[in-house]
């Protein structure tokens, strides 16, 4: 995570996160969530994972992870997580 991100405080407080593995044709999600400063969840339908993280209501595979370590890496942080659940739709 970029230390200058507008969402850095939320990431630093997070105890869990979810990772979506996108398929061909889902590139618009990358652009939406990579846009600097935008409200990334505006107009996006989400639910909560068992770990309480917001997850997209889209087809594909998702990994729900518990945060286990945080490392500084220059102007970024690296967040490491233990996978608790993998879901494929």
């Amino acid at each position: 995570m970029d230390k200058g991100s507008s969402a850095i405080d939320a990431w630093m407080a997070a105890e869990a996160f979810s990772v979506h593995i996108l398929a061909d044709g889902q590139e618009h999600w990358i652009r939406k969530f990579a846009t600097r400063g935008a409200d990334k969840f505006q107009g996006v339908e989400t639910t909560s994972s068992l770990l309480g993280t917001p997850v997209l209501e889209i087809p594909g595979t998702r990994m729900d992870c518990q945060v286990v370590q945080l490392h500084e890496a220059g102007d970024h942080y690296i967040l490491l997580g233990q996978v608790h659940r993998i879901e494929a739709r």
Side-chain angles (χ1 to χ4, degrees):
M1 304 155 309
D2 186 329
K3 289 180 179 179
S5 169
S6 59
I8 196 66
D9 291 337
W11 279 110
M12 297 302 287
E15 295 180 7
F17 60 94
S18 292
V19 176
H20 290 269
I21 300 171
L22 302 176
D24 286 340
Q26 293 181 317
E27 294 88 0
H28 61 282
W29 292 111
I30 296 168
R31 286 187 292 280
K32 179 163 184 62
F33 284 92
T35 302
R36 184 177 282 277
D39 178 356
K40 295 165 185 6
F41 289 95
Q42 181 179 11
V44 177
E45 187 175 339
T46 63
T47 58
S48 291
S49 73
L50 294 177
L51 296 176
T53 61
V55 295
L56 304 176
E57 284 293 309
I58 60 174
T61 302
R62 184 186 83 238
M63 296 182 295
D64 299 328
C65 306
Q66 190 76 40
V67 174
V68 293
Q69 291 181 353
L70 178 71
H71 298 278
E72 281 197 65
D75 60 352
H76 282 69
Y77 290 106
I78 299 170
L79 193 63
L80 300 178
Q82 178 182 359
V83 176
H84 281 260
R85 180 175 182 187
I86 299 174
E87 181 178 311
R89 295 179 173 198

